[in-house]
Amino acid sequence: TGFTNEHLNILADILYELGDAGFESPDNHETSLSQLAQSLKLFEYIESDDRIYSIDRNLKMTKIKDYLS
């Protein structure tokens, strides 16, 4: 039946953790930026579609925006 917001949130969390873990490494920096950008897109979609506010999701989105700026 497709992906639910819960599935997308798990994927966004995985991308976030991968991007966060490799951000400081010169070898992985570009990959990390890509993973963080993808994670942010998913979090923003979930934020607009979900009726439940998540402080954790919002904090991650803020941290990603800081990384990408």
Side-chain angles (χ1 to χ4, degrees):
T1 56
F3 290 104
T4 65
N5 282 346
E6 186 176 340
H7 295 133
L8 294 176
N9 196 68
I10 291 168
L11 178 57
D13 277 335
I14 291 169
L15 289 168
Y16 171 80
E17 293 298 333
L18 289 171
D20 188 44
F23 188 77
E24 299 295 330
S25 168
D27 295 337
N28 296 326
H29 187 74
E30 289 301 316
T31 301
S32 291
L33 288 176
S34 175
Q35 291 165 333
L36 290 167
Q38 291 170 359
S39 177
L40 180 61
K41 286 180 187 176
L42 288 170
F43 282 137
E44 287 174 338
Y45 172 78
I46 297 164
E47 184 86 5
S48 70
D49 190 59
D50 206 354
R51 295 186 183 130
I52 300 169
Y53 177 78
S54 168
I55 292 173
D56 184 53
R57 179 174 59 228
N58 196 276
L59 289 172
K60 288 177 181 176
M61 289 170 62
T62 301
K63 188 172 180 182
I64 293 169
K65 288 175 184 175
D66 287 343
Y67 275 145
L68 298 178
S69 63

